[in-house]
Each structure stands twice: as structure tokens, then as C-alpha cells.
Amino acid sequence: MTDALFVTLQVILAAIAVYQFAFSLFGLHKKKNKVKYAPQKSFAVLVAAHNEEEVVGALMENLKQLNYPQELYDVFVICDNCTDNTAAIVREHGMNACVRTNTNLRGKGYAIEWMLKELWALPRQYDAVVMFDADNLAHTEFLTEMNNDLCSGGRVIQGYIDTKNPEDSWITAAYGVSYWYINRLWQLSRHNLKMANFLGGTGMCFETNLLKEMGWGATSLVEDLEFTMRSASKGVYPRFNYDAKVFDEKPLTFKASSRQRLRWMQGHFTVARRYFFPLLWQSIKERSLTKFDLALYGANVYIVLLTFLMTAVMWIDNSMFDGPHIANIYGHLPLWLSYFAIGANILTFLLAMALEKVKFKKVYLYLLAFPVYLLSWYPITFYAFFTQNNKQWSHTKHTRVVRLEEVQSKQV
């Protein structure tokens, strides 16, 4: 019975790996011809901030320089439970500082829900809402690209999340490599196939009417994934805009990174429990590959956990009990196939960097430590499974002040 279970699970995991690899191939090509529209949509730009006095000023300067008519967008910074000078700095730049104090309902999801209620009560109403984090920098054409997508029928749009500090440490480089892979070989591949994309927490755009119809309702530790699943279940699929770039600060240390990723995985378990089976059932009933793909993405946290547990059990069986005593399909496959699978996995990251024309020299040196980052997801996910009911939001401190010109000059 154990053998049958292990063989079945190994076949399923192998099939999922092949499925994801096949999908990534559709991200190799980037379409060049795009329909462009004159600026016509108005935007409420929301910035989530908690004690961000060190970085919020750079974003305020950045948002003033967007290549979009200034009368068509306003900036609202959610100063959520701040105890520093975030609100004062925002006001110095002539932007709207919206102060929220609620120590019971803490976290970005709750802050956004509060801000949207405040927004709907204003005399002026906007066509769409854009969301950034306080440590971000937006490409000057960001709102122009969002305008293009909204005019062509988009209702939920995710921009390209890039890294503004990939050369700061080996861990920021690892984030950079991961995001280049996700943008090119995951998000763009789904976009090219006209399937649903997933939201990434920042650089997001929402049609106002949709938010009023659905409500925000995403208050878990991963509000972006939660809203992705909610909108998809209602037949509204997020789309991806490759040219709408937002540069995000990544944690400098492994400790800070682990804490951030633990919060993500805890939230992912919560969302997977709520939405995987309903979305999977919808995909079967409607024969929708798009909903099946999103359901599979939602369950990815369980796939990582299962892979870790099965690998650990087989290693213990072999090293401590003179195994193998458990069936292993990989032991019956040619050795070259195993090397090919490992090589293909590594090459996809290198391929993504090549396609994205990554120019950061230090990142290539830091690639030697990239496997450590990848492997660390396993124990983090394992620990997250047992602490998934912990709803305590943890703040990632941001200190890296970078201007958009600096980021773009290093990419050339």
C-alpha cells in the first residue's frame, strides 16, 4: 500500500513538472505589436505604508515623474499604524497621507479594505485603482500601460515586478533571478496563451466598478493570491502587462527573507484550503484549463510540502534503514533522464536571465548560492504548514533608497 501511494504521488508530481515546463516554453516569444490608446482613464494610486519614512520620499518623487497627465491621477498613501514621519514626508511632497490606526486588524489587506471605503466616499471617483508598496519605484510609462489595458477590456492587471536592488546581497540576487523567471516563463507564457495570470502584491491595477461589485475581501497574509482566486472564481481573469514595470526592494539578509517567505507560505496554505477544491471543481464542470491552471498554482504550496516529505522519507529509508524499501519510479528510469531533469530545471532560470537580458554582473557571481535559496523553500514550507493558523502580520523593514535612474542605468 505504501509503494502504491508513493508511486502514484511520484507520477503526479512528475506530470505536474512536465506540465509546468511545457507551459514555460510559451514565454520564449514576446509579442511586439500592441494597441495603444490616448490617456483617458483616471487613477487612484494607493501606496501601502507602515513606518516607511526612509523610502517613501523616493517613491513620491518617482510618482510625480510618471509620463501621464497629472490631472488624471492622484496619490493616496495609506499610513497604516505608523509611528514615524511617513505621513509628514508624504504631505511635504504634496500627496494625500491617509492615516489609519487599528492595532487589532493589522496587515496590508485590512489597510487596503479601509482605504477603498474612504476612496468611495470622496466626491471624485476614478476609473481604476493602482496599488504599490512604499519601497517601490514605478516605470515612467506604468500608468500609460495600465490605460492601454483598461481601454482594451482589462479589469484586473498585474505589472512586471522587477527588483531594484539585485546586487546588494546573494539573497537579493536570488529574488531577482526568481522574479525574472516568473515574469518571463510563467506570467508571460500565460499571457501569450490568453490565460489567467496571478497578482503579485504590488504593481496591480483594478477597474473601480469591479472592486465596487466584488468588494476587496482579501485580508489574509497573501491578499494578492486571495483576490486572484476570488476574481477567477467569478470568471474575471487577471492579465499581465510585461511593459508596466515596478521595481521592488528585496530583503538583504537570509533571516529577513525567511521571515517574509514564511508569512507568504502561511498565507498560501490558507488560500489553498479555501479555494483549491472549489476552483478545481469549476474547472472540471466548465472544462476550463484556465481555472485548472490557477487551481494548480494555488495548490503549489502543498506540492512543495509533498515533495519535501517524500524526499525526506526516501532519504531516511536509504541512509538509516539500508533501503530502499519504498518503491521509487526514478530508480527504474535511465540515469541520463535524471540528469536531464535537473539540468532543465537549472537552465530555465538561466534562460530567463538571457531572455530578460540581465546586465547585473554581481548577480551572475551570486548564482553559486542560488541553490541554497531554492532548497530553503522546503523547510520554510514545512514549518509554515504547522504554523499556518498564525495570522500575525510581520513587517519587512525597507531601508534601500534608490532612484529609478540608478536602477535603469545599471540595466543598460
Side-chain angles (χ1 to χ4, degrees):
M1 186 174 178
T2 303
D3 286 352
L5 177 62
F6 261 67
V7 168
T8 301
L9 291 175
Q10 287 169 359
V11 169
I12 292 173
L13 291 175
I16 291 172
V18 172
Y19 169 88
Q20 299 294 9
F21 178 76
F23 262 80
S24 69
L25 299 178
F26 290 92
L28 298 178
H29 173 66
K30 179 185 176 295
K31 298 175 183 177
K32 295 181 179 180
N33 296 325
K34 293 178 63 175
V35 179
K36 297 182 180 181
Y37 297 85
Q40 54 186 282
K41 299 295 183 180
S42 59
F43 295 92
V45 179
L46 305 190
V47 178
H50 172 71
N51 290 344
E52 301 285 9
E53 63 180 6
E54 295 188 56
V55 295
V56 73
L59 176 60
M60 296 300 99
E61 293 173 13
N62 168 230
L63 293 179
K64 293 176 186 176
Q65 298 168 2
L66 297 182
N67 186 23
Y68 201 73
Q70 291 193 359
E71 66 274 12
L72 288 179
Y73 73 96
D74 291 315
V75 178
F76 302 86
V77 180
I78 314 168
C79 304
D80 186 37
N81 291 300
C82 291
T83 56
D84 65 356
N85 294 319
T86 298
I89 294 171
V90 170
R91 294 186 182 110
E92 285 174 9
H93 284 86
M95 306 299 191
N96 301 290
C98 307
V99 178
R100 173 183 182 264
T101 303
N102 189 325
T103 55
N104 294 320
L105 300 177
R106 298 178 68 242
K108 185 176 172 182
Y110 289 112
I112 291 172
E113 193 164 56
W114 172 84
M115 187 66 238
L116 290 177
K117 291 177 183 177
E118 297 290 309
L119 205 59
W120 305 155
L122 293 178
R124 181 182 184 182
Q125 294 297 293
Y126 302 86
D127 295 314
V129 174
V130 165
M131 297 183 190
F132 293 120
D133 288 337
D135 59 288
N136 293 166
L137 295 171
H139 192 280
T140 53
E141 300 298 318
F142 190 92
L143 291 184
T144 300
E145 291 295 334
M146 292 297 135
N147 176 75
N148 291 336
D149 272 344
L150 289 167
C151 291
S152 62
R155 306 192 76 187
V156 182
I157 307 141
Q158 174 61 57
Y160 183 119
I161 303 178
D162 209 337
T163 307
K164 78 177 186 183
N165 60 328
E167 294 186 300
D168 281 359
S169 70
W170 72 272
I171 198 70
T172 62
Y175 272 95
V177 174
S178 298
Y179 275 83
W180 291 318
Y181 164 80
I182 289 169
N183 284 305
R184 187 62 189 246
L185 299 181
W186 194 298
Q187 294 279 54
L188 186 60
S189 62
R190 268 72 180 175
H191 176 75
N192 286 342
L193 291 168
K194 300 187 184 305
M195 294 174 65
N197 292 101
F198 62 86
L199 298 173
T202 188
M204 305 178 292
C205 179
F206 306 88
E207 182 192 65
T208 296
N209 289 337
L210 177 68
L211 284 176
K212 289 182 176 179
E213 289 168 17
M214 285 182 54
W216 178 246
T219 55
S220 69
L221 294 177
V222 284
E223 74 290 331
D224 47 2
L225 179 61
E226 187 177 3
F227 194 90
T228 300
M229 297 302 174
R230 284 188 64 230
S231 62
S233 66
K234 297 179 183 296
V236 179
Y237 301 137
R239 65 167 66 176
F240 177 62
N241 190 311
Y242 180 92
D243 298 307
K245 290 197 174 185
V246 55
F247 300 90
D248 187 43
E249 180 182 330
K250 304 307 179 188
L252 297 174
T253 66
F254 183 77
K255 181 179 179 181
S257 165
S258 297
R259 188 166 56 245
Q260 182 187 65
R261 289 184 287 153
L262 175 62
R263 172 167 56 85
W264 288 349
M265 292 299 99
Q266 289 169 336
H268 271 243
F269 276 116
T270 301
V271 173
R273 286 200 316 270
R274 291 179 188 171
Y275 293 98
F276 171 69
F277 284 110
L279 206 55
L280 181 64
W281 175 242
Q282 283 185 24
S283 74
I284 295 170
K285 192 166 62 172
E286 300 172 15
R287 297 180 182 178
S288 171
L289 178 60
T290 298
K291 287 188 175 180
F292 173 79
D293 187 62
L294 272 181
L296 193 61
Y297 175 73
N300 193 53
V301 65
Y302 281 102
I303 294 171
V304 174
L305 177 65
L306 190 59
T307 303
F308 175 67
L309 291 176
M310 290 177 65
T311 303
V313 168
M314 287 188 288
W315 180 82
I316 292 171
D317 178 45
N318 280 287
S319 61
M320 303 179 74
F321 297 100
D322 297 324
H325 301 104
I326 302 173
N328 181 3
I329 62 170
Y330 302 108
H332 299 285
L333 297 175
L335 189 60
W336 66 265
L337 193 59
S338 299
Y339 286 123
F340 174 79
I342 295 171
N345 186 45
I346 295 172
L347 282 174
T348 52
F349 290 101
L350 296 175
L351 177 62
M353 292 177 68
L355 291 169
E356 295 303 275
K357 299 177 182 177
V358 176
K359 304 294 185 183
F360 299 103
K361 295 180 180 179
K362 281 187 180 180
V363 171
Y364 289 94
L365 295 175
Y366 286 137
L367 280 175
L368 294 172
F370 186 60
V372 177
Y373 170 82
L374 292 179
L375 291 172
S376 67
W377 280 100
Y378 291 115
I380 288 172
T381 305
F382 180 73
Y383 184 64
F385 176 76
F386 293 100
T387 58
Q388 59 184 281
N389 291 324
N390 175 23
K391 302 297 188 292
Q392 182 68 34
W393 176 78
S394 59
H395 175 240
T396 302
K397 187 173 177 58
H398 301 113
T399 60
R400 193 70 167 86
V401 179
V402 182
R403 298 298 189 273
L404 184 63
E405 296 78 14
E406 295 177 60
V407 178
Q408 292 178 326
S409 66
K410 288 183 178 181
Q411 289 181 324
V412 176

